[in-house]
Amino acid sequence: MVSTSTLDPKALFVQRRKEFKSNPEAASDLEAYTRHDNAHNYTVIKGLIPPPLVGKKCPGGTSVWHKSDTFFTDFKINHPAQVLSESEESLVIGNTASHDMRQYLAKWDPDGKDKTPSAGMSYVHLLVIPKSRIYNIVAMDDTAIIDEMLAHFERFWKSPESIDKTTVWLQTAVENRATAARKSLESRFPDHLDDFDKTTNDVRQSAEQFHQSLCRAHSQPVDKLFGFYFHPAPDASIAHLHMHVVLKAKEFREFSTYAHDWKSIPVHDVTEVIIGDLRRS
């Protein structure tokens, strides 16, 4: 497990939560975030839209990015193809990243940077996000939305179309990454193209094997097949609550990143801490 913390995940969450709640500027940031305040100077909350994108058109084309937006703002409008399931309160969405680190090797990068931590955490790495504007587990005082997100994913996974919908998106993520990386290589390192194409074919072949294994495992209980995790702020990349849904078995993580395991807090630890704080308040 790659780690930048000596704490176990639950202890890390407790620490991050304490740091946030004890920060005198956190409350004003959170209030401004909740009311979608674009004039506020956010000093604690990170993971909002990068300043260069503010004022630029959103992918959905119906509006522009605002200072207090995140990449999950109006997600269904901006990324309809990425939504795999919808309830009244949440969305199950596909991960933009490919599951396979081999598509993110330094030799494919124009600057020679290792981008493997950008890959998914398993063959299936989906996300569940609330539709409402909720920041992060470090600021939450109840678990109702987490319970709903878990129940929503379980309903989705038990539905007849879950495998097909998930597989289509996983293939899309692989092909999108292949297209983007290959385009960069064509202009910068054309001599790497043959090697890249071979790697891409290897990725497709192993993905098909994973798919067959997943079909065989589909009937397993959801909580046995998947792990459910949250990243606590400021270790979360996006300032909007999102639950990572990751296949547990090492088989499905063969080509995926372990770079984020250190900050991945299991859902039962998250709810235990929040409920414990609520009882003591």
Side-chain angles (χ1 to χ4, degrees):
M1 179 182 294
V2 178
S3 175
T4 61
S5 171
T6 58
L7 299 174
D8 67 78
K10 184 178 181 181
L12 175 66
F13 174 43
V14 170
Q15 177 179 298
R16 293 289 191 257
R17 187 170 167 85
K18 182 178 180 181
E19 290 169 350
F20 181 82
K21 288 183 173 290
S22 64
N23 190 321
E25 298 179 354
S28 61
D29 264 22
L30 191 60
E31 290 174 3
Y33 171 91
T34 302
R35 64 176 180 265
H36 215 145
D37 189 337
N38 295 312
H40 181 77
N41 179 30
Y42 294 92
T43 59
V44 179
I45 290 180
K46 308 298 180 184
L48 299 172
I49 285 295
L53 290 183
V54 174
K56 303 289 180 63
K57 273 197 172 184
C58 300
T62 60
S63 62
V64 298
W65 291 120
H66 297 95
K67 179 181 177 180
S68 63
D69 285 337
T70 77
F71 285 123
F72 289 154
T73 299
D74 295 330
F75 194 87
K76 185 181 177 182
I77 295 173
N78 291 326
H79 305 281
Q82 213 166 327
V83 176
L84 307 183
S85 180
E86 179 179 10
S87 72
E88 289 188 6
E89 297 183 63
S90 62
L91 303 172
V92 177
I93 65 175
N95 191 347
T96 303
S98 161
H99 68 280
D100 201 309
M101 291 189 298
R102 291 174 293 181
Q103 293 190 285
Y104 296 90
L105 299 175
K107 60 183 176 179
W108 314 136
D109 185 72
D111 300 317
K113 293 182 179 179
D114 175 18
K115 297 291 183 66
T116 54
S118 299
M121 295 173 65
S122 74
Y123 169 60
V124 175
H125 178 176
L126 303 179
L127 301 167
V128 186
I129 63 173
K131 292 180 178 179
S132 57
R133 192 170 173 80
I134 300 174
Y135 171 49
N136 186 271
I137 52 174
V138 298
M140 293 175 65
D141 294 321
D142 68 73
T143 64
I145 188 61
I146 294 177
D147 296 338
E148 193 281 336
M149 291 159 70
L150 283 167
H152 179 191
F153 181 80
E154 183 166 1
R155 290 195 305 273
F156 163 68
W157 192 250
K158 289 181 176 179
S159 66
E161 68 272 15
S162 63
I163 284 280
D164 288 343
K165 282 187 173 182
T166 300
T167 301
V168 167
W169 179 256
L170 297 177
Q171 292 171 341
T172 299
V174 166
E175 296 307 322
N176 285 349
R177 176 58 187 169
T179 299
R182 198 178 197 284
K183 184 176 181 180
S184 177
L185 287 173
E186 285 175 349
S187 60
R188 301 288 294 274
F189 305 109
D191 54 319
H192 289 180
L193 286 173
D194 287 346
D195 189 16
F196 178 77
D197 289 343
K198 180 182 181 303
T199 298
T200 300
N201 285 331
D202 290 343
V203 170
R204 291 173 179 143
Q205 290 174 13
S206 63
E208 176 58 28
Q209 293 172 355
F210 286 143
H211 169 69
Q212 296 301 327
S213 296
L214 183 61
C215 288
R216 291 191 292 270
H218 185 248
S219 61
Q220 291 183 23
V222 174
D223 61 346
K224 299 295 183 184
L225 191 57
F226 290 98
F228 302 91
Y229 307 97
F230 291 91
H231 296 165
D235 306 309
S237 58
I238 297 178
H240 185 112
L241 187 69
H242 52 288
M243 181 172 70
H244 298 263
V245 182
V246 179
L247 286 169
K248 287 181 179 180
K250 288 185 177 181
E251 168 193 1
F252 293 112
R253 302 194 68 189
E254 180 179 359
F255 300 112
S256 299
T257 185
Y258 281 72
H260 309 292
D261 284 34
W262 66 274
K263 62 179 179 180
S264 296
I265 319 299
V267 65
H268 58 81
D269 286 339
V270 171
T271 56
E272 183 178 300
V273 170
I274 293 174
I275 291 172
D277 286 350
L278 184 62
R279 287 172 177 168
R280 286 188 291 271
S281 62

